[in-house]
Amino acid sequence: AKTSAAIARLKRAGVLYVSVLTHPTMGGAMASFAALGDVTLAEPGALLGFAGPNVIKQTIKTSLPDGFQRSEFLARKGFVDRIVHRLELKETISAIIDYCMPLSAD
């Protein structure tokens, strides 16, 4: 709750919040602050979710789609904005910040 409240303060202040999801991002981290980014990046093939696929499958008693809870699946569903390899993170985050920064009046 404290982390989510801090992120809400960032949003009110107009501060960009980029969430980077690595393998695995699960449980409370995923259910709270990881899912609140203005921009959400994930590494290829990352397992992302609150509960594991086996727990969900047993709970809903049905088969899950191929790749369920993987970053590529979640990108197709609109939850992840972009899949980025760790070696490209610095460049990608820099480009996002540059894009989102207001133009100066110079």
Side-chain angles (χ1 to χ4, degrees), residues 5 8 14-15 17-18 20 25-27 31-32 41 51-52 55 57 68 74 77-79 86 91 102:
V15 176
Y17 178 55
V18 178
V20 179
T25 300
M26 299 293 290
S32 61
L41 307 176
V55 172
K57 187 175 178 179
F68 182 75
L74 294 171
K77 298 296 182 181
F79 184 80
R86 286 185 188 197
E91 180 181 319

Side-chain angles (χ1 to χ4, degrees), residues 3-4 7 11 17-22 24-42 47-50 74 79-81:
T3 304
S4 296
I7 293 168
K11 287 185 186 294
Y17 178 55
V18 178
S19 188
V20 179
L21 310 180
T22 59
T25 300
M26 299 293 290
M30 186 64 179
S32 61
F33 62 90
L36 297 176
D38 296 309
V39 177
T40 303
L41 307 176
L47 180 63
L48 312 170
F50 182 71
L74 294 171
F79 184 80
V80 170
D81 295 306

Side-chain angles (χ1 to χ4, degrees), residues 50-99:
F50 182 71
N54 290 335
V55 172
I56 294 171
K57 187 175 178 179
Q58 290 172 357
T59 302
I60 65 173
K61 296 178 180 31
T62 189
S63 297
L64 300 171
D66 287 340
F68 182 75
Q69 290 186 306
R70 296 293 173 172
S71 53
E72 293 79 6
F73 181 88
L74 294 171
R76 287 192 303 273
K77 298 296 182 181
F79 184 80
V80 170
D81 295 306
R82 188 165 175 196
I83 308 292
V84 182
H85 191 281
R86 286 185 188 197
L87 297 175
E88 300 169 354
L89 273 175
K90 182 178 178 182
E91 180 181 319
T92 301
I93 292 171
S94 178
I96 291 167
I97 291 169
D98 287 345
Y99 179 79

